[in-house]
């Protein structure tokens, strides 16, 4: 999904208002899974999808992509920094 399409979807669903500010991670549009329910609104990304994207787009092996992504997600962009979650499947 393109960056503008993401913002348009957020506004149509009333998850994001014109006066809100959000930081999106370049290149990880396909990994966005939502936004926080509280303010400041932050984009939420699936960490494992981001890892796959890094491996494919940056042509890195798993360990290289993991190191690269760890540095990327630790970058402090202030209170609006995106959140990266490591989804856990099949928990009962």
């Amino acid at each position: 999904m393109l960056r503008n399409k993401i913002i348009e979807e957020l506004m149509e669903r009333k998850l994001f208002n014109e006066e809100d500010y959000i930081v999106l991670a370049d290149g990880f549009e396909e990994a966005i899974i939502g936004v926080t329910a509280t303010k400041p609104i932050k984009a939420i990304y699936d960490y494992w999808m981001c890892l796959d994207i890094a491996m494919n787009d940056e042509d890195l092996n798993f360990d290289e992509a993991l190191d690269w992504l760890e540095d990327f997600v630790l970058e402090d962009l202030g209170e609006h920094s995106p959140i990266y979650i490591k989804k856990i499947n099949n928990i009962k």
Side-chain angles (χ1 to χ4, degrees):
M1 209 182 314
L2 297 173
R3 179 178 292 273
N4 291 339
K5 182 68 174 160
I6 292 170
I7 294 170
E8 182 181 309
E9 282 287 321
L10 293 173
M11 293 183 83
E12 281 180 14
R13 295 177 187 204
K14 297 185 178 156
L15 299 173
F16 180 76
N17 298 315
E18 288 183 25
E19 65 273 1
D20 289 325
Y21 181 83
I22 192 168
V23 174
L24 299 175
D26 288 336
F28 293 123
E29 290 80 9
E30 296 299 320
I32 193 165
I33 59 173
V35 295
T36 57
T38 58
K39 293 198 180 210
I41 293 177
K42 298 179 181 187
I44 302 172
Y45 292 89
D46 180 321
Y47 181 88
W48 304 120
M49 287 182 72
C50 290
L51 184 61
D52 285 341
I53 291 168
M55 287 172 51
N56 292 325
D57 290 356
E58 301 295 324
D59 196 30
L60 303 172
N61 68 38
F62 179 82
D63 290 330
E64 293 169 335
L66 192 59
D67 289 342
W68 182 88
L69 187 58
E70 285 296 322
D71 289 341
F72 185 84
V73 302
L74 291 175
E75 188 174 332
D76 183 15
L77 301 173
E79 68 177 340
H80 296 281
S81 292
I83 296 172
Y84 301 85
I85 64 165
K86 295 177 179 177
K87 291 175 31 176
I88 302 172
N89 296 326
N90 301 325
I91 294 182
K92 297 179 184 188

